[in-house]
Amino acid sequence: MASLHGSTLEAIKHNHAQLLVQWVAALEANGATRNIKEQTLSQETRDFLQLLIDVLQADSGNDIVSSDWDEARRFLERLSASRAQLGHDSHQAAYFIFALKRPLFSLLQTHFSDDPARLAEQLWLISELLDTLGMHTIRTFQKTREAVIKRQQEELLELSTPVVKLWDGVLALPLIGTLDSQRSQTVMESLLQRIVDTGSEIAIIDITGVPTVDTLVAQHLLKTVTAIRLMGADCIISGVRPQIAQTIVHLGLDLGTLTTKANLADALKLALKRLGVNLGEQV
Amino acid sequence: MERIPILRMGEFLLVTIQVDMHDKLAMRLQDDLTDRISATSARGVLLDISALDMVDSFIGRMIADIASLSRLMDARVMVVGMQPAVAITLVELGLTLPGVSTALDVERGMQRLSQHVRRP
C-alpha cells in the first residue's frame, strides 16, 4: 500500500498546534467531550497526535494490526474503556478519531492546492487510516461494554438467591424480580442445598417481590415445591398479593398441591405451629 | 452376588443404598424387599438414599414401584435423605413420586413412620 507523502507528514508536524485546536473544537461542537476535563482532553489529543506522527514517520504502512501500531492501538483501547466507564455511547467514543478528519483535510487542501492528483491520493490514504482507527475504537468500546453487562448479569444472579434462616428448622427465600428458567434453577439449587446443610424441615418461598406470575413462573414454583417435598421437607409459598391471586385464577393454573399464605408472617406462624413451637398467646 | 442389605428394626425395615445402583441390583432389591416384608410382616420401610448422588428414570421408577408394592403389602415407604441433585432430576423427569412419604434423614423418617403407623 502506498504510504503518505513526505510533505504531508511535514505539513502535519508543522501545523501541529493548529490541528490540535481545531480537533478539540470539533470534539466540543459534537458533544463528545461530556464529563471530560478540558485538561484531560487536551492531554489525550496531544498524546494521540504525537503517537500518530511517530508511527507515520516510521513509515510502517496503513495496516494497524502490525506491531508498529501497537502503542496507538493500546492508546485507543484505553481511551474507549475510559469512555465506556464515563457512560458515553459508541458514537461519542469513535468521534474522538473522526473529529480529526476535517482539520486534517483542510490542512491538506491548502498544502496541496496546486496538485489535485496528489491531494486526492493523500486524502484517500488519510481517510482510510482514520476509518480503521475509528472502527478499532468502536470495537474495543463495545467489548468493554459487553464485559460490564456480563459482570452485572452475574452479580444480579448472585444477589437474587439469599436463603435466610428464620427459625431453627425454618428457611425463607425472598424472591425479587422476574423468574426465568436460569434464575429459577439457581434459586432451586441453592435452596435445596441449604435445606440439606441445615436440616430444615420447612422452607418458605416469599413471592412478594415477584411482579407477575405467569404459567412459566407457576411451573417453576411447582417444580421447586415438588423437589423440596421429595427431599423430605415442606414448602409454603407466601406473599400472594391480590392481583397475583387473580392472575393465577384467570390463567386457570392449578396450584392445588401448594400451601399458600398471604404474607410471610402467616407463613411463619404456620411453620412454627407445624414444628410444635409455642410462643404463648401472641402467636 | 452383590445385593443390598435389608435390616430389621422392630416393626420396620431399613434399606440403605450405599453403592451405585444399577438395573439388576434394583430388580433384586425389589424381589428381596417383598420377600422380607411378607416374612417379617413389617409395617414400614425406610429407604435411605442419601448416598445416591445420581438417578436415571429406571431407578426413579423403581422407587415408585417399591412404594406401591409395599403399600399393597400394608407397609408404608419412607424415602429419606434425597440429595438436591437427585430431587431436581426426578422432577425434571416428571417422576414426582405421589403417595411416597419423604423425610430429611433416617431419624426423622423413623419418627414420622412410627407416628403414621400408630395413627393409621
Side-chain angles (χ1 to χ4, degrees), chain B residues 24-116:
Chain B
K24 253 201 187 125
L25 202 58
M27 297 302 289
R28 184 162 303 130
L29 176 62
Q30 262 181 35
D31 293 342
D32 287 356
L33 191 60
T34 38
D35 288 347
R36 289 283 285 174
I37 292 174
S38 95
T40 59
S41 43
R43 301 293 313 280
V45 176
L46 267 165
L47 192 60
D48 178 16
I49 56 167
S50 52
L52 201 67
D53 48 15
M54 222 170 61
V55 286
D56 54 17
S57 52
F58 187 84
I59 305 298
R61 221 191 64 198
M62 175 209 79
I63 296 173
D65 284 354
I66 284 181
S68 27
L69 59 87
S70 305
R71 170 150 317 170
L72 275 177
M73 303 178 75
D74 194 28
R76 284 192 74 95
V77 169
M78 181 75 69
V79 175
V80 299
M82 192 184 286
Q83 294 294 319
V86 174
I88 292 173
T89 313
L90 287 183
V91 172
E92 294 295 339
L93 287 171
L95 290 163
T96 55
L97 308 184
V100 179
S101 311
T102 50
L104 283 172
D105 50 39
V106 176
E107 196 185 334
R108 282 181 243 220
M110 193 69 89
Q111 214 172 25
R112 249 191 225 189
L113 208 50
S114 27
Q115 276 171 10
H116 276 304

Side-chain angles (χ1 to χ4, degrees), chain A residues 193-218:
Chain A
Q193 196 52 53
R194 276 299 292 273
I195 288 175
V196 174
D197 293 347
T198 60
S200 302
E201 281 184 37
I202 298 178
I204 302 172
I205 301 181
D206 187 73
I207 56 166
T208 316
V210 179
T212 50
V213 172
D214 54 12
T215 44
L216 204 66
V217 174

Side-chain angles (χ1 to χ4, degrees), chain A residues 24 27-28 32-45 83 86 88:
Chain A
V24 172
L27 280 173
E28 271 164 5
T33 58
R34 190 164 57 90
N35 293 345
I36 305 171
K37 285 198 197 102
E38 205 176 323
Q39 206 181 351
T40 323
L41 187 70
S42 69
Q43 181 71 38
E44 280 170 349
T45 47
R83 292 290 190 271
L86 281 171
H88 285 199

